[in-house]
PDB file of all heavy atoms in Angstrom:
ATOM      1  N   VAL A  15      11.639  20.251  17.612  1.00 98.00           N
ATOM      2  CA  VAL A  15      12.939  20.014  16.997  1.00 98.00           C
ATOM      3  C   VAL A  15      12.922  20.700  15.634  1.00 98.00           C
ATOM      4  O   VAL A  15      11.955  20.563  14.881  1.00 98.00           O
ATOM      5  CB  VAL A  15      13.221  18.507  16.823  1.00 98.00           C
ATOM      6  CG1 VAL A  15      14.467  18.282  15.987  1.00 98.00           C
ATOM      7  CG2 VAL A  15      13.363  17.825  18.181  1.00 98.00           C
ATOM      8  N   HIS A  80      13.724   8.378  11.613  1.00 98.00           N
ATOM      9  CA  HIS A  80      14.453   8.744  12.828  1.00 98.00           C
ATOM     10  C   HIS A  80      13.499   9.232  13.921  1.00 98.00           C
ATOM     11  O   HIS A  80      13.692   8.919  15.100  1.00 98.00           O
ATOM     12  CB  HIS A  80      15.507   9.806  12.519  1.00 98.00           C
ATOM     13  CG  HIS A  80      16.511   9.381  11.505  1.00 98.00           C
ATOM     14  ND1 HIS A  80      17.355  10.266  10.872  1.00 98.00           N
ATOM     15  CD2 HIS A  80      16.810   8.153  10.991  1.00 98.00           C
ATOM     16  CE1 HIS A  80      18.133   9.605  10.032  1.00 98.00           C
ATOM     17  NE2 HIS A  80      17.812   8.334  10.069  1.00 98.00           N
ATOM     18  N   ALA A  84      12.550   7.040  17.557  1.00 98.00           N
ATOM     19  CA  ALA A  84      12.582   7.667  18.883  1.00 98.00           C
ATOM     20  C   ALA A  84      11.257   7.479  19.610  1.00 98.00           C
ATOM     21  O   ALA A  84      11.224   7.116  20.797  1.00 98.00           O
ATOM     22  CB  ALA A  84      12.918   9.145  18.754  1.00 98.00           C
ATOM     23  N   LEU A 105      19.029  16.971  10.732  1.00 95.00           N
ATOM     24  CA  LEU A 105      19.722  17.177  12.017  1.00 95.00           C
ATOM     25  C   LEU A 105      21.152  16.642  11.903  1.00 95.00           C
ATOM     26  O   LEU A 105      21.855  16.953  10.955  1.00 95.00           O
ATOM     27  CB  LEU A 105      18.919  16.544  13.145  1.00 95.00           C
ATOM     28  CG  LEU A 105      17.442  17.001  13.189  1.00 95.00           C
ATOM     29  CD1 LEU A 105      16.618  16.152  14.121  1.00 95.00           C
ATOM     30  CD2 LEU A 105      17.369  18.471  13.558  1.00 95.00           C
ATOM     31  N   ASP A 106      21.595  15.813  12.844  1.00 93.00           N
ATOM     32  CA  ASP A 106      22.951  15.265  12.753  1.00 93.00           C
ATOM     33  C   ASP A 106      22.938  13.866  12.153  1.00 93.00           C
ATOM     34  O   ASP A 106      23.930  13.145  12.207  1.00 93.00           O
ATOM     35  CB  ASP A 106      23.630  15.250  14.124  1.00 93.00           C
ATOM     36  CG  ASP A 106      23.015  14.242  15.091  1.00 93.00           C
ATOM     37  OD1 ASP A 106      21.866  13.787  14.825  1.00 93.00           O
ATOM     38  OD2 ASP A 106      23.660  13.900  16.098  1.00 93.00           O
ATOM     39  N   GLY A 107      21.792  13.464  11.577  1.00 94.00           N
ATOM     40  CA  GLY A 107      21.684  12.152  10.966  1.00 94.00           C
ATOM     41  C   GLY A 107      21.278  11.047  11.914  1.00 94.00           C
ATOM     42  O   GLY A 107      21.312   9.874  11.545  1.00 94.00           O
ATOM     43  N   SER A 108      20.885  11.416  13.133  1.00 97.00           N
ATOM     44  CA  SER A 108      20.534  10.409  14.134  1.00 97.00           C
ATOM     45  C   SER A 108      19.152  10.702  14.727  1.00 97.00           C
ATOM     46  O   SER A 108      18.473  11.652  14.340  1.00 97.00           O
ATOM     47  CB  SER A 108      21.582  10.398  15.255  1.00 97.00           C
ATOM     48  OG  SER A 108      21.365  11.476  16.159  1.00 97.00           O
ATOM     49  N   SER A 109      18.769   9.885  15.712  1.00 98.00           N
ATOM     50  CA  SER A 109      17.515  10.104  16.450  1.00 98.00           C
ATOM     51  C   SER A 109      17.730  10.894  17.741  1.00 98.00           C
ATOM     52  O   SER A 109      16.768  11.211  18.436  1.00 98.00           O
ATOM     53  CB  SER A 109      16.868   8.754  16.817  1.00 98.00           C
ATOM     54  OG  SER A 109      16.252   8.162  15.712  1.00 98.00           O
ATOM     55  N   LYS A 110      18.981  11.198  18.064  1.00 98.00           N
ATOM     56  CA  LYS A 110      19.278  11.807  19.357  1.00 98.00           C
ATOM     57  C   LYS A 110      18.542  13.128  19.602  1.00 98.00           C
ATOM     58  O   LYS A 110      18.013  13.333  20.706  1.00 98.00           O
ATOM     59  CB  LYS A 110      20.783  12.002  19.530  1.00 98.00           C
ATOM     60  CG  LYS A 110      21.184  12.472  20.928  1.00 98.00           C
ATOM     61  CD  LYS A 110      22.680  12.578  21.063  1.00 98.00           C
ATOM     62  CE  LYS A 110      23.078  12.921  22.499  1.00 98.00           C
ATOM     63  NZ  LYS A 110      22.494  14.210  22.956  1.00 98.00           N
ATOM     64  N   PRO A 111      18.466  14.050  18.626  1.00 98.00           N
ATOM     65  CA  PRO A 111      17.729  15.294  18.909  1.00 98.00           C
ATOM     66  C   PRO A 111      16.262  15.050  19.263  1.00 98.00           C
ATOM     67  O   PRO A 111      15.703  15.738  20.122  1.00 98.00           O
ATOM     68  CB  PRO A 111      17.868  16.079  17.601  1.00 98.00           C
ATOM     69  CG  PRO A 111      19.139  15.577  16.997  1.00 98.00           C
ATOM     70  CD  PRO A 111      19.150  14.118  17.317  1.00 98.00           C
ATOM     71  N   TYR A 112      15.636  14.069  18.616  1.00 98.00           N
ATOM     72  CA  TYR A 112      14.257  13.728  18.959  1.00 98.00           C
ATOM     73  C   TYR A 112      14.177  13.116  20.356  1.00 98.00           C
ATOM     74  O   TYR A 112      13.292  13.460  21.149  1.00 98.00           O
ATOM     75  CB  TYR A 112      13.682  12.746  17.940  1.00 98.00           C
ATOM     76  CG  TYR A 112      13.476  13.328  16.574  1.00 98.00           C
ATOM     77  CD1 TYR A 112      14.200  12.860  15.477  1.00 98.00           C
ATOM     78  CD2 TYR A 112      12.554  14.345  16.347  1.00 98.00           C
ATOM     79  CE1 TYR A 112      14.019  13.388  14.211  1.00 98.00           C
ATOM     80  CE2 TYR A 112      12.365  14.884  15.081  1.00 98.00           C
ATOM     81  CZ  TYR A 112      13.097  14.398  14.022  1.00 98.00           C
ATOM     82  OH  TYR A 112      12.904  14.932  12.768  1.00 98.00           O
ATOM     83  N   VAL A 113      15.093  12.215  20.660  1.00 98.00           N
ATOM     84  CA  VAL A 113      15.106  11.582  21.976  1.00 98.00           C
ATOM     85  C   VAL A 113      15.306  12.625  23.071  1.00 98.00           C
ATOM     86  O   VAL A 113      14.625  12.610  24.099  1.00 98.00           O
ATOM     87  CB  VAL A 113      16.202  10.499  22.048  1.00 98.00           C
ATOM     88  CG1 VAL A 113      16.456  10.074  23.491  1.00 98.00           C
ATOM     89  CG2 VAL A 113      15.802   9.297  21.201  1.00 98.00           C
ATOM     90  N   ASP A 114      16.226  13.550  22.860  1.00 98.00           N
ATOM     91  CA  ASP A 114      16.480  14.594  23.861  1.00 98.00           C
ATOM     92  C   ASP A 114      15.230  15.437  24.100  1.00 98.00           C
ATOM     93  O   ASP A 114      14.860  15.719  25.243  1.00 98.00           O
ATOM     94  CB  ASP A 114      17.631  15.489  23.410  1.00 98.00           C
ATOM     95  CG  ASP A 114      18.974  14.783  23.434  1.00 98.00           C
ATOM     96  OD1 ASP A 114      19.070  13.706  24.052  1.00 98.00           O
ATOM     97  OD2 ASP A 114      19.931  15.312  22.830  1.00 98.00           O
ATOM     98  N   ALA A 115      14.561  15.857  23.014  1.00 98.00           N
ATOM     99  CA  ALA A 115      13.368  16.698  23.143  1.00 98.00           C
ATOM    100  C   ALA A 115      12.232  15.939  23.816  1.00 98.00           C
ATOM    101  O   ALA A 115      11.561  16.465  24.722  1.00 98.00           O
ATOM    102  CB  ALA A 115      12.929  17.197  21.777  1.00 98.00           C
ATOM    103  N   LEU A 116      11.996  14.706  23.401  1.00 98.00           N
ATOM    104  CA  LEU A 116      10.902  13.913  23.957  1.00 98.00           C
ATOM    105  C   LEU A 116      11.161  13.559  25.422  1.00 98.00           C
ATOM    106  O   LEU A 116      10.237  13.553  26.244  1.00 98.00           O
ATOM    107  CB  LEU A 116      10.706  12.643  23.130  1.00 98.00           C
ATOM    108  CG  LEU A 116      10.153  12.859  21.710  1.00 98.00           C
ATOM    109  CD1 LEU A 116      10.354  11.609  20.866  1.00 98.00           C
ATOM    110  CD2 LEU A 116       8.678  13.244  21.764  1.00 98.00           C
ATOM    111  N   SER A 117      12.396  13.267  25.747  1.00 98.00           N
ATOM    112  CA  SER A 117      12.734  12.944  27.145  1.00 98.00           C
ATOM    113  C   SER A 117      12.506  14.151  28.044  1.00 98.00           C
ATOM    114  O   SER A 117      12.026  14.014  29.177  1.00 98.00           O
ATOM    115  CB  SER A 117      14.187  12.473  27.239  1.00 98.00           C
ATOM    116  OG  SER A 117      14.387  11.291  26.493  1.00 98.00           O
ATOM    117  N   PHE A 184      18.123   2.190  24.004  1.00 98.00           N
ATOM    118  CA  PHE A 184      18.043   2.951  22.761  1.00 98.00           C
ATOM    119  C   PHE A 184      18.677   4.326  22.930  1.00 98.00           C
ATOM    120  O   PHE A 184      19.456   4.772  22.084  1.00 98.00           O
ATOM    121  CB  PHE A 184      16.590   3.091  22.320  1.00 98.00           C
ATOM    122  CG  PHE A 184      16.432   3.790  20.995  1.00 98.00           C
ATOM    123  CD1 PHE A 184      16.562   3.097  19.807  1.00 98.00           C
ATOM    124  CD2 PHE A 184      16.153   5.154  20.939  1.00 98.00           C
ATOM    125  CE1 PHE A 184      16.430   3.745  18.577  1.00 98.00           C
ATOM    126  CE2 PHE A 184      16.021   5.812  19.723  1.00 98.00           C
ATOM    127  CZ  PHE A 184      16.159   5.102  18.535  1.00 98.00           C
ATOM    128  N   THR A 185      18.345   5.005  24.019  1.00 98.00           N
ATOM    129  CA  THR A 185      18.866   6.352  24.261  1.00 98.00           C
ATOM    130  C   THR A 185      20.380   6.360  24.348  1.00 98.00           C
ATOM    131  O   THR A 185      21.049   7.228  23.763  1.00 98.00           O
ATOM    132  CB  THR A 185      18.269   6.918  25.561  1.00 98.00           C
ATOM    133  OG1 THR A 185      16.847   7.022  25.417  1.00 98.00           O
ATOM    134  CG2 THR A 185      18.841   8.279  25.879  1.00 98.00           C
ATOM    135  N   VAL A 188      21.929   3.577  20.771  1.00 98.00           N
ATOM    136  CA  VAL A 188      21.446   3.539  19.393  1.00 98.00           C
ATOM    137  C   VAL A 188      21.087   4.915  18.854  1.00 98.00           C
ATOM    138  O   VAL A 188      21.462   5.275  17.724  1.00 98.00           O
ATOM    139  CB  VAL A 188      20.230   2.592  19.265  1.00 98.00           C
ATOM    140  CG1 VAL A 188      19.762   2.495  17.821  1.00 98.00           C
ATOM    141  CG2 VAL A 188      20.571   1.205  19.802  1.00 98.00           C
ATOM    142  N   ALA A 189      20.368   5.703  19.638  1.00 98.00           N
ATOM    143  CA  ALA A 189      19.879   7.004  19.167  1.00 98.00           C
ATOM    144  C   ALA A 189      20.982   7.901  18.592  1.00 98.00           C
ATOM    145  O   ALA A 189      20.743   8.602  17.600  1.00 98.00           O
ATOM    146  CB  ALA A 189      19.140   7.732  20.290  1.00 98.00           C
ATOM    147  N   PRO A 190      22.201   7.934  19.148  1.00 98.00           N
ATOM    148  CA  PRO A 190      23.240   8.827  18.596  1.00 98.00           C
ATOM    149  C   PRO A 190      23.868   8.347  17.297  1.00 98.00           C
ATOM    150  O   PRO A 190      24.639   9.098  16.675  1.00 98.00           O
ATOM    151  CB  PRO A 190      24.291   8.862  19.721  1.00 98.00           C
ATOM    152  CG  PRO A 190      23.592   8.396  20.955  1.00 98.00           C
ATOM    153  CD  PRO A 190      22.620   7.388  20.463  1.00 98.00           C
ATOM    154  N   ALA A 191      23.592   7.111  16.865  1.00 98.00           N
ATOM    155  CA  ALA A 191      24.225   6.576  15.656  1.00 98.00           C
ATOM    156  C   ALA A 191      23.691   7.284  14.414  1.00 98.00           C
ATOM    157  O   ALA A 191      22.483   7.434  14.244  1.00 98.00           O
ATOM    158  CB  ALA A 191      23.983   5.071  15.560  1.00 98.00           C
ATOM    159  N   LYS A 231      31.299   7.606  16.613  1.00 96.00           N
ATOM    160  CA  LYS A 231      30.883   7.571  18.020  1.00 96.00           C
ATOM    161  C   LYS A 231      30.994   6.155  18.584  1.00 96.00           C
ATOM    162  O   LYS A 231      31.163   5.965  19.786  1.00 96.00           O
ATOM    163  CB  LYS A 231      29.448   8.071  18.150  1.00 96.00           C
ATOM    164  CG  LYS A 231      29.284   9.537  17.807  1.00 96.00           C
ATOM    165  CD  LYS A 231      27.851   9.992  18.005  1.00 96.00           C
ATOM    166  CE  LYS A 231      27.703  11.477  17.692  1.00 96.00           C
ATOM    167  NZ  LYS A 231      26.294  11.941  17.867  1.00 96.00           N
ATOM    168  N   TYR A 232      30.864   5.165  17.691  1.00 97.00           N
ATOM    169  CA  TYR A 232      30.996   3.755  18.055  1.00 97.00           C
ATOM    170  C   TYR A 232      31.765   3.070  16.923  1.00 97.00           C
ATOM    171  O   TYR A 232      31.651   3.456  15.770  1.00 97.00           O
ATOM    172  CB  TYR A 232      29.631   3.065  18.187  1.00 97.00           C
ATOM    173  CG  TYR A 232      28.593   3.827  18.980  1.00 97.00           C
ATOM    174  CD1 TYR A 232      27.676   4.662  18.337  1.00 97.00           C
ATOM    175  CD2 TYR A 232      28.502   3.686  20.356  1.00 97.00           C
ATOM    176  CE1 TYR A 232      26.711   5.344  19.050  1.00 97.00           C
ATOM    177  CE2 TYR A 232      27.527   4.366  21.077  1.00 97.00           C
ATOM    178  CZ  TYR A 232      26.640   5.196  20.420  1.00 97.00           C
ATOM    179  OH  TYR A 232      25.686   5.864  21.131  1.00 97.00           O
ATOM    180  N   LEU A 242      18.742   1.272  14.107  1.00 98.00           N
ATOM    181  CA  LEU A 242      17.843   2.402  14.393  1.00 98.00           C
ATOM    182  C   LEU A 242      16.775   2.512  13.297  1.00 98.00           C
ATOM    183  O   LEU A 242      15.571   2.629  13.595  1.00 98.00           O
ATOM    184  CB  LEU A 242      18.664   3.686  14.482  1.00 98.00           C
ATOM    185  CG  LEU A 242      18.008   5.012  14.839  1.00 98.00           C
ATOM    186  CD1 LEU A 242      19.064   5.997  15.328  1.00 98.00           C
ATOM    187  CD2 LEU A 242      17.250   5.638  13.670  1.00 98.00           C
TER     188      LEU A 242
END
Side-chain angles (χ1 to χ4, degrees):
V15 171
H80 301 165
L105 307 168
D106 69 343
S108 79
S109 284
K110 187 177 185 301
Y112 292 115
V113 166
D114 290 345
L116 291 165
S117 298
F184 184 83
T185 298
V188 183
K231 294 182 179 179
Y232 314 94
L242 183 160

